[in-house]
């Protein structure tokens, strides 16, 4: 087991995104976590600082060697609009995800958590959902001791803080749904990125099946 003192070291891929940064903050605040290796395409301002944090600038399209760690959290993802094409979207949400997972397993990582999306299904007629489902299926088959897959609904958080553009749908949902949030079924209820991060860390470190899928209701239960 890769350790910092007597605590497991971890890897976070996609560590500058909404969920990824929350994962880094959560893991750094956790006294049971050792070194946190943050994998990112480029350095960003106002990033968390800690003696236990090591930042790695990587090319996710050609990643080879990974730091030694016991756990890996993958929060890589884009949108078809941001990527510019279906092929570019698949390059991130399938190929980069799979490359990180394979490199992590080769370096000795035992447990892996993946941030996917509600509706992920390799048999879906919807391209976005099909790519997410393909990634889940590929990662689950690599041979980790335990894989936890998060399938959140709409993810809420302060994107402006990360230098990201506001997404009109998210803004509208936060405004319109807030008064009736508790009336929305938990599976479909928008969920804060910080809650996803807490739920993933707690679930990955708990006992459970070799592959476990958590939709928003289960993430809410585990992360609050």
């Amino acid at each position: 087991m890769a350790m910092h003192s007597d605590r497991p070291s971890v890897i976070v891929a996609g560590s500058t995104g909404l969920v990824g940064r929350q994962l880094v903050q959560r893991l750094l605040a956790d006294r049971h976590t050792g070194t946190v290796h943050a994998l990112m395409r480029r350095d960003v301002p106002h990033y968390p600082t800690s003696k236990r944090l090591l930042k790695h600038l990587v090319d996710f399209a050609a990643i080879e060697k990974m730091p030694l760690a016991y756990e890996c959290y993958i929060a890589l993802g884009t949108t078809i609009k941001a990527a510019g094409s279906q092929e570019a979207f698949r390059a991130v949400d399938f190929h980069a995800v799979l490359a990180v997972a394979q490199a992590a397993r080769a370096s000795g990582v035992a447990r892996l958590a993946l941030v996917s999306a509600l509706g992920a299904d390799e048999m879906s007629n919807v391209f976005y959902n099909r790519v997410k489902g393909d990634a889940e299926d590929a990662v689950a088959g690599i041979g980790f001791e335990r894989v936890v897959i998060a399938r959140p609904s709409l993810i809420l958080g302060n994107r402006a803080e990360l230098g990201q553009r506001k997404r009109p749908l998210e803004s509208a949902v936060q405004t319109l749904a807030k008064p009736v949030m508790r009336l929305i079924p938990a599976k479909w209820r928008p969920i804060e990125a910080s809650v996803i991060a807490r739920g993933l860390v707690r679930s990955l470190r708990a006992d459970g099946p070799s592959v476990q899928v958590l939709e928003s209701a289960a993430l809410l239960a585990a992360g609050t």
Side-chain angles (χ1 to χ4, degrees):
M1 180 188 297
M3 307 286 280
H4 179 98
S5 182
D6 59 344
R7 297 167 293 173
S9 295
V10 304
I11 296 167
V12 182
S15 58
T16 60
L18 202 57
V19 177
R21 191 174 297 205
Q22 288 292 333
L23 280 165
V24 170
Q25 292 174 340
R26 174 72 184 175
L27 291 162
L28 288 175
D30 179 43
R31 62 187 179 86
H32 299 295
T33 302
T35 302
V36 177
H37 298 279
L39 275 55
M40 55 186 72
R41 294 184 183 89
R42 64 186 184 281
D43 205 354
V44 295
H46 312 301
Y47 201 75
T49 58
S50 170
K51 291 180 180 178
R52 291 168 35 238
L53 175 67
L54 292 178
K55 294 187 287 186
H56 305 263
L57 302 185
V58 302
D59 178 0
F60 289 110
I63 195 163
E64 295 179 0
K65 193 173 181 180
M66 297 278 273
L68 294 178
Y70 181 67
E71 299 170 349
C72 178
Y73 298 82
I74 302 180
L76 289 168
T78 184
T79 63
I80 297 174
K81 182 177 180 180
S85 68
Q86 289 187 340
E87 292 75 18
F89 170 78
R90 187 173 176 85
V92 174
D93 283 60
F94 176 77
H95 292 294
V97 166
L98 181 57
V100 169
Q102 289 174 330
R105 187 71 192 99
S107 73
V109 167
R111 295 191 170 210
L112 181 136
L114 171 65
V115 180
S116 184
L118 185 65
D121 182 350
E122 70 274 14
M123 302 301 291
S124 176
N125 291 324
V126 178
F127 178 78
Y128 178 91
N129 292 346
R130 188 165 67 251
V131 172
K132 291 291 190 180
D134 285 343
E136 289 184 6
D137 189 57
V139 167
I142 291 175
F144 291 97
E145 169 189 300
R146 179 157 160 76
V147 174
V148 176
I149 297 169
R151 287 183 186 167
S153 57
L154 186 66
I155 302 173
L156 303 180
N158 190 344
R159 293 189 183 276
E161 221 175 41
L162 309 183
Q164 297 179 357
R165 292 181 180 178
K166 289 185 177 180
R167 296 182 182 180
L169 177 59
E170 290 178 16
S171 299
V173 167
Q174 289 185 68
T175 301
L176 299 174
K178 191 173 182 179
V180 295
M181 193 71 79
R182 292 187 177 277
L183 301 179
I184 301 173
K187 176 178 180 178
W188 303 99
R189 193 179 303 162
I191 183 170
E192 293 284 345
S194 59
V195 176
I196 298 171
R198 286 197 300 271
L200 269 183
V201 173
R202 290 174 180 174
S203 298
L204 189 64
R205 293 179 175 180
D207 293 331
S210 58
V211 179
Q212 183 177 15
V213 176
L214 304 176
E215 293 184 339
S216 285
L219 288 166
L220 282 164
T224 53

